[in-house]
């Protein structure tokens, strides 16, 4: 960009050091893949024919080494990061036929088909036995639901910036919009504008811990005008959290993403929605408006497997969070880091949910099949009219927790969800299932009604939990 040949020489020196990836976790290869691909794209005109030939061989060997390790990556975060980086290299080397077992078209297939449609990685049996995933089971489904909402949301910080880089390279190189080509990608990007509270904080769903996101600044050209309008609202700082900048994660820093991909004078429109209903995102978010003191209620209705005990051992199905009158009134975190052993109260009593004889409904039974949803909840009705917004969901509770204050019990001594093994147990079957219906009504956007009904052929004691909270801190007077 500067035309200074001194920089080109440094770039050549860096490219001469590229070598195959020797590690096991391909997440660690993403930086070398993307950086070397961009470097080659910028300086290849300055390379001699022999320098170009050697550089292409080195880059292809690096990409091939990552491609061959891809099917061994059991962690979906790693596959998302690795596939995104392979896509960047595939487009940088488009048209080149390397002397490697895999070719750029194979790398591109991982960055498109595997990442967004059907992963070549073999998912656990809970996915393979579910007919919903016969044709649609991309790498993103390891941590996201079908709508693109990351169920272990705080950990999307691992990969959402790298994925965004891939979106930008894809758009620039092909002239196509990846958010149009792959609908789940649009869901991933738009997560904050339907899920965030009026003060722009994330919900506490799973591992989200009420943080903020920064990746969207560079993706505005890929969005529709109403989506840009919603992100403009999200970007506005209401000045209620002095730590917002520090708690903002997954920003795309650096010249390539901040300068080369910047587009000004993009048309913007006001968002055409307030409340949001999506069975694919397993949620309904009631939103009274876009003002700081607007009502907001996030209701979860989950039935899709996620390949993570960190999510599936969070017993938070049919729970909800509430923000109103400028304050966070009902929290539903379930994780309180650094305060207790493990990740905090992941079990049902850490959520705004139902207890049946003191224990709550589980999502999976780890002694039977990892990640298989044993108590799926589903929406049965909803309405989004100005005079009434409501939704109703139902769960047939067949299994509950063994212990109300331990995620798992057993010989492994597991203290948290990620340590669980098949030697442990977390669930017990009910003699007769409990049918639980929960309806939430928002008449005229004035107030909320929460209606619960639990029925069973057996006798049970029912409790409904609500965790009162506040963001307002009033310091007590010291003596």
């Amino acid at each position: 960009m500067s035309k200074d040949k001194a920089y080109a020489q440094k770039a050549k020196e860096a490219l001469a050091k590229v070598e195959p990836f020797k590690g096991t976790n391909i997440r660690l290869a993403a930086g070398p893949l993307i950086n070397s691909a961009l470097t080659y794209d910028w300086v290849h005109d300055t390379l001699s024919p022999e320098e170009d030939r050697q550089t292409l061989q080195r880059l292809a060997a690096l990409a091939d080494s990552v491609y061959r390790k891809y099917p061994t990556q059991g962690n979906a975060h790693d596959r998302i990061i690795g596939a995104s980086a392979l896509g960047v290299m595939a487009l940088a080397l488009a048209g080149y036929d390397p002397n490697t077992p895999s070719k750029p078209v194979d790398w591109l297939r991982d960055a498109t088909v595997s990442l967004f449609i059907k992963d070549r990685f073999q998912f656990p049996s809970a996915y393979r036995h579910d007919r919903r995933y016969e044709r649609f089971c991309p790498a993103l489904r390891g941590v996201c639901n079908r709508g693109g909402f990351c169920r272990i949301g705080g950990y999307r910080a691992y990969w959402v910036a790298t994925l965004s880089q891939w979106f930008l390279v894809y758009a620039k190189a092909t002239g196509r919009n990846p958010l149009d080509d792959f609908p789940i990608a649009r869901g991933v990007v738009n997560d904050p504008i339907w899920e965030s509270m009026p003060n722009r904080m994330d919900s506490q769903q799973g591992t989200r811990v009420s943080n903020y996101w920064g990746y969207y600044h560079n993706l505005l050209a890929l969005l529709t005008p109403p989506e840009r309008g919603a992100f403009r609202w999200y970007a506005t700082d209401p000045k209620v959290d002095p730590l917002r900048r520090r708690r903002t994660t997954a920003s795309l820093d650096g010249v390539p993403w901040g300068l080369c991909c910047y587009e000004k004078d993009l048309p913007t429109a006001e968002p055409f929605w307030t409340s949001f209903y999506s069975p694919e995102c397993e949620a309904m978010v009631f939103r009274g408006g876009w003002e700081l003191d607007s009502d907001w209620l996030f209701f979860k209705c989950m039935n899709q497997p996620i390949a993570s005990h960190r999510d599936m051992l969070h017993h938070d199905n049919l729970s909800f969070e509430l923000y109103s009158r400028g304050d966070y009134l009902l929290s539903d975190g379930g994780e309180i880091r650094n305060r207790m052993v493990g990740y905090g109260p992941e079990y049902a009593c850490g959520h705004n949910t139902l207890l049946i004889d003191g224990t709550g409904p589980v999502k999976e039974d780890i002694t039977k099949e990892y990640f298989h949803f044993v108590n799926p909840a589903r929406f049965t009705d909803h309405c989004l009219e100005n005079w009434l917004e409501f939704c109703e969901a139902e769960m047939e509770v067949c299994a509950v927790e063994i212990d109300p204050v331990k995620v798992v019990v057993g010989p492994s001594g597991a203290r948290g969800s990620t340590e669980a093994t098949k030697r442990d147990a977390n669930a017990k079957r009910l003699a007769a299932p409990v049918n639980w219906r929960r309806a939430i009504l928002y008449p005229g956007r004035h107030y909320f009604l929460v209606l619960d009904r639990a029925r069973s052929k057996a006798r049970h004691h029912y409790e409904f939990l609500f965790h009162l909270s506040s963001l307002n801190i009033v310091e007590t007077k010291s003596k």
Side-chain angles (χ1 to χ4, degrees):
M1 288 180 282
S2 68
K3 306 300 182 183
D4 189 332
K5 293 184 178 180
Y7 294 112
Q9 182 58 38
K10 289 294 183 182
K12 289 181 183 180
E13 294 173 5
L15 291 173
K17 298 177 181 178
V18 173
E19 59 182 7
F21 180 64
K22 297 182 175 63
T24 57
N25 188 331
I26 63 174
R27 178 190 311 190
L28 303 179
L33 272 169
I34 294 175
N35 294 337
S36 57
L38 294 181
T39 300
Y40 173 73
D41 185 64
W42 290 337
V43 304
H44 76 276
D45 289 341
T46 70
L47 301 176
S48 68
E50 180 59 20
E51 288 174 330
D52 189 48
R53 184 187 67 80
Q54 293 182 5
T55 299
L56 286 170
Q57 288 179 347
R58 285 192 289 268
L59 295 178
L62 171 60
D64 178 69
S65 66
V66 174
Y67 176 83
R68 286 185 283 111
K69 287 183 172 68
Y70 180 92
T72 68
Q73 306 295 300
N75 189 316
H77 301 305
D78 301 331
R79 298 199 305 280
I80 295 168
I81 294 169
S84 299
L86 282 171
V88 176
M89 185 63 79
L91 293 183
L93 272 59
Y96 174 58
D97 185 15
N99 185 24
T100 52
S102 65
K103 311 295 182 183
V105 67
D106 300 310
W107 315 334
L108 184 61
R109 189 177 296 113
D110 267 353
T112 52
V113 177
S114 286
L115 186 54
F116 301 118
I117 302 172
K118 183 76 171 179
D119 198 356
R120 67 184 175 105
F121 170 81
Q122 186 173 4
F123 271 81
S125 59
Y127 287 79
R128 301 196 302 274
H129 298 162
D130 192 326
R131 296 186 64 183
R132 291 177 294 179
Y133 305 113
E134 289 179 356
R135 297 184 179 180
F136 180 73
C137 195
L140 281 166
R141 276 292 296 114
V143 290
C144 298
N145 57 30
R146 293 172 63 88
F149 178 68
C150 185
R151 287 247 299 270
I152 47 175
Y155 287 88
R156 71 200 292 263
Y158 285 165
W159 49 262
V160 73
T162 305
L163 182 65
S164 298
Q165 292 172 346
W166 168 226
F167 290 155
L168 292 169
V169 171
Y170 180 99
K172 290 291 182 181
T174 68
R176 301 178 62 86
N177 189 334
L179 308 191
D180 292 336
D181 291 348
F182 311 108
I184 193 173
R186 186 175 295 277
V188 169
V189 171
N190 284 340
D191 176 327
I193 58 177
W194 63 260
E195 182 260 350
S196 298
M197 301 182 204
N199 63 358
R200 283 65 163 178
M201 287 170 53
D202 244 0
S203 72
Q204 285 194 303
Q205 195 278 330
T207 62
R208 286 184 174 251
V209 297
S210 302
N211 56 6
Y212 310 89
W213 302 98
Y215 63 86
Y216 65 89
H217 290 288
N218 305 80
L219 303 179
L220 295 177
L222 305 181
L223 303 175
T224 65
E227 290 167 347
R228 291 187 203 114
F231 272 113
R232 182 174 61 182
W233 164 83
Y234 182 76
T236 303
D237 188 353
K239 306 297 183 183
V240 295
D241 184 356
L243 299 178
R244 174 171 180 172
R245 184 173 182 179
R246 183 185 301 177
R247 294 174 57 207
T248 297
T249 187
S251 298
L252 273 68
D253 299 319
V255 170
W257 318 112
L259 178 61
C260 299
C261 299
Y262 174 74
E263 296 188 36
K264 62 179 181 179
D265 302 326
L266 293 169
T268 301
E270 293 300 316
F272 57 83
W273 73 92
T274 47
S275 294
F276 175 89
Y277 169 79
S278 172
E280 288 203 333
C281 287
E282 302 175 297
M284 179 159 180
V285 176
F286 297 86
R287 190 183 297 275
W290 298 98
E291 296 76 25
L292 182 60
D293 61 351
S294 298
D295 295 329
W296 173 94
L297 187 149
F298 177 34
F299 177 55
K300 311 162 198 174
C301 176
M302 292 173 278
N303 55 67
Q304 301 175 37
I306 294 293
S308 167
H309 294 314
R310 190 68 174 275
D311 170 80
M312 295 296 287
L313 289 177
H314 253 291
H315 302 153
D316 57 348
N317 212 355
L318 294 191
S319 63
F320 66 91
E321 306 172 47
L322 174 66
Y323 177 106
S324 186
R325 295 353 183 231
D327 200 3
Y328 187 38
L329 301 181
L330 287 175
S331 67
D332 191 62
E335 292 203 4
I336 305 174
R337 305 291 291 277
N338 305 319
R339 181 179 173 183
M340 58 202 306
V341 174
Y343 295 115
E346 300 168 273
Y347 29 79
C349 65
H351 299 281
N352 300 319
T353 185
L354 166 70
L355 296 185
I356 303 169
D357 302 322
T359 56
V362 298
K363 291 180 188 170
E364 67 172 332
D365 185 343
I366 60 175
T367 61
K368 294 186 178 299
E369 185 178 21
Y370 278 0
F371 316 129
H372 172 69
F373 225 115
V374 297
N375 293 319
R378 289 182 171 81
F379 286 108
T380 57
D381 206 352
H382 80 286
C383 178
L384 286 173
E385 298 291 344
N386 290 332
W387 57 277
L388 175 65
E389 294 183 358
F390 87 90
C391 70
E392 182 186 50
E394 181 179 32
M395 181 197 302
E396 194 78 3
V397 183
C398 300
V400 295
E401 301 160 316
I402 288 179
D403 192 303
V405 293
K406 291 183 179 179
V407 178
V408 297
V409 296
S412 76
R415 298 177 298 174
S417 56
T418 56
E419 301 173 1
T421 72
K422 286 190 175 180
R423 295 184 299 155
D424 301 312
N426 72 301
K428 60 183 179 183
R429 304 289 295 184
L430 291 175
V434 173
N435 180 269
W436 176 27
R437 283 179 175 261
R438 169 164 278 182
I440 299 180
L441 292 80
Y442 190 29
R445 297 182 177 174
H446 296 311
Y447 54 88
F448 290 103
L449 293 173
V450 179
L451 307 177
D452 288 292
R453 189 196 72 183
R455 290 181 174 178
S456 177
K457 293 181 179 179
R459 192 182 188 93
H460 294 289
H461 175 73
Y462 301 115
E463 297 171 88
F464 296 97
L465 301 180
F466 299 97
H467 295 76
L468 302 178
S469 61
S470 177
L471 298 175
N472 296 319
I473 300 174
V474 179
E475 295 185 6
T476 57
K477 295 181 179 179
S478 63
K479 295 181 179 180

